[in-house]
Amino acid sequence: MARYVVSVLSPKSQQEAFDYMADLSNFAEWDPGVHGVEQAEGDGPGPGTAFDVAVRTAGRTITLCYHVTDFDRPDTVVARAESGMLVSLDKMTIESTASGTVVTYDAELTLKGAWRAFEPFLGLAFKRIGDKAAEGLIRVLEGERTERPAG
């Protein structure tokens, strides 16, 4: 399993940050590895929705269908995608602060079957990909990287 976690201190309100993060179609705005997003199920963000996310990897584009498995306004959104090669679990936590919010994006990739042999390399690649996405997230949230608050 490879994991990437980033927390961003943002001046946006908890509701504003939640609404932005909960709409998975926004992934393409801040993650340079995302080629495009289309809603596959539902209408807008919410529980039980799904989004087809086209990601660039190893010189090609693959589409993963992310299903929103947890939607707890205004605190948490969890989305999960599974293919024959991997499972991706993305958890977004939005916590109110005195000056705005802390948005934590916690992404896990787990390779399946014979692909597990590549997990030592996945961690290094995932860090590079995550760092680029973190820069975009900081930009769209108009914030700065921070440590996640205790709790």
Side-chain angles (χ1 to χ4, degrees), residues 4-12 17 20-22 26-32 91-94 102-106 129-145:
Y4 190 89
V5 181
V6 62
S7 292
V8 178
L9 177 62
S10 171
K12 296 184 181 296
Y20 183 81
M21 297 305 297
N26 290 324
F27 278 13
E29 290 183 19
W30 57 269
D31 187 340
K91 180 177 182 180
M92 296 153 274
T93 306
I94 298 86
V102 172
V103 174
T104 300
Y105 198 95
D106 186 345
I129 293 165
D131 284 344
K132 290 178 184 177
E135 289 174 15
L137 193 56
I138 290 165
R139 177 182 44 80
V140 298
L141 293 175
E142 301 168 0
E144 61 187 41
R145 188 182 289 254

Side-chain angles (χ1 to χ4, degrees), residues 83-144:
S83 72
M85 181 173 44
L86 61 82
V87 174
S88 178
L89 186 65
D90 295 24
K91 180 177 182 180
M92 296 153 274
T93 306
I94 298 86
E95 300 171 77
S96 185
T97 69
S99 60
T101 59
V102 172
V103 174
T104 300
Y105 198 95
D106 186 345
E108 292 181 3
L109 280 180
T110 305
L111 296 176
K112 294 168 59 177
W115 292 102
R116 287 188 186 163
F118 295 99
E119 283 202 347
F121 307 105
L122 179 64
L124 296 173
F126 200 39
K127 180 173 179 355
R128 284 194 309 271
I129 293 165
D131 284 344
K132 290 178 184 177
E135 289 174 15
L137 193 56
I138 290 165
R139 177 182 44 80
V140 298
L141 293 175
E142 301 168 0
E144 61 187 41

